[in-house]
């Protein structure tokens, strides 16, 4: 259901309401460079989630993907074939500067960085924040 939402341009009212919900459920901007943590509900994998009704339909959003979409609204459409990845490796982070829109293969390669605690780069995508 959320994938159809990301392929559209929601109304101004919907955008403002979702931005307010994201603001309420985040831990604030924090220190410069620090993660902005989601303090709302989490799924079984540890990712932040937000359930909201949009145009009469209940939608389950991943918080980091929604935050990224709202920040870049009107400049890009999110597809199911691309991921919004955490370059900081923190599943609860919704800070846009810590997120990257990239293919699953790049997202998967970040697991090596986390395991070795060293990032060697990701061919045109941001390096991990370690």
């Amino acid at each position: 259901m959320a994938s159809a939402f990301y392929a559209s341009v929601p109304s101004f009212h919907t955008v403002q309401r979702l931005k307010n919900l994201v603001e309420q459920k985040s831990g604030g901007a924090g220190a410069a460079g620090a993660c902005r943590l989601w303090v709302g509900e989490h799924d079984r994998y540890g990712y932040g989630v937000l359930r909201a009704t949009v145009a009469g339909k209940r939608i389950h959003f991943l918080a980091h993907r929604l935050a990224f979409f709202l920040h870049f609204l009107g400049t890009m459409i999110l597809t199911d074939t691309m991921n919004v990845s955490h370059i900081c490796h923190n599943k609860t982070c919704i800070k846009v500067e810590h997120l990257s829109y990239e293919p699953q293969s790049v997202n998967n390669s970040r697991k090596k960085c986390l395991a070795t605690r060293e990032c060697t780069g990701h061919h045109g995508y941001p390096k991990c924040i370690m």
Side-chain angles (χ1 to χ4, degrees):
M1 187 69 67
S3 59
F5 174 82
Y6 292 127
S8 68
V9 178
S11 71
F12 175 80
H13 174 74
T14 297
V15 169
Q16 288 308 117
R17 188 168 53 83
L18 289 172
K19 281 183 175 182
N20 288 339
L21 287 170
V22 168
E23 186 66 31
Q24 290 170 13
K25 299 289 183 175
S26 69
C35 291
R36 183 176 186 188
L37 303 180
W38 183 256
V39 295
E41 181 183 354
H42 294 81
D43 68 10
R44 65 183 177 183
Y45 304 106
Y47 293 95
V49 295
L50 175 70
R51 299 173 203 281
T53 302
V54 176
K57 296 180 181 164
R58 191 82 170 148
I59 301 179
H60 174 255
F61 295 102
L62 288 173
H64 66 288
R65 193 167 172 90
L66 179 60
F68 189 87
F69 175 78
L70 292 171
H71 182 79
F72 290 104
L73 186 65
T75 61
M76 74 170 54
I77 292 176
L78 303 186
T79 67
D80 288 340
T81 61
M82 298 283 279
N83 292 4
V84 175
S85 302
H86 294 93
I87 64 174
C88 59
H89 301 285
N90 186 335
K91 294 179 180 183
T92 63
C93 181
I94 64 165
K95 186 172 191 167
V96 176
E97 294 83 2
H98 290 191
L99 303 174
S100 176
Y101 190 58
E102 58 195 28
Q104 181 69 41
S105 59
V106 175
N107 187 317
N108 288 340
S109 73
R110 292 187 186 283
K111 292 175 186 172
K112 180 182 176 190
C113 301
L114 184 60
T116 62
R117 302 299 301 158
E118 180 182 2
C119 181
T120 57
H122 298 285
H123 308 291
Y125 295 95
K127 288 184 99 175
C128 296
I129 299 171
M130 302 308 261

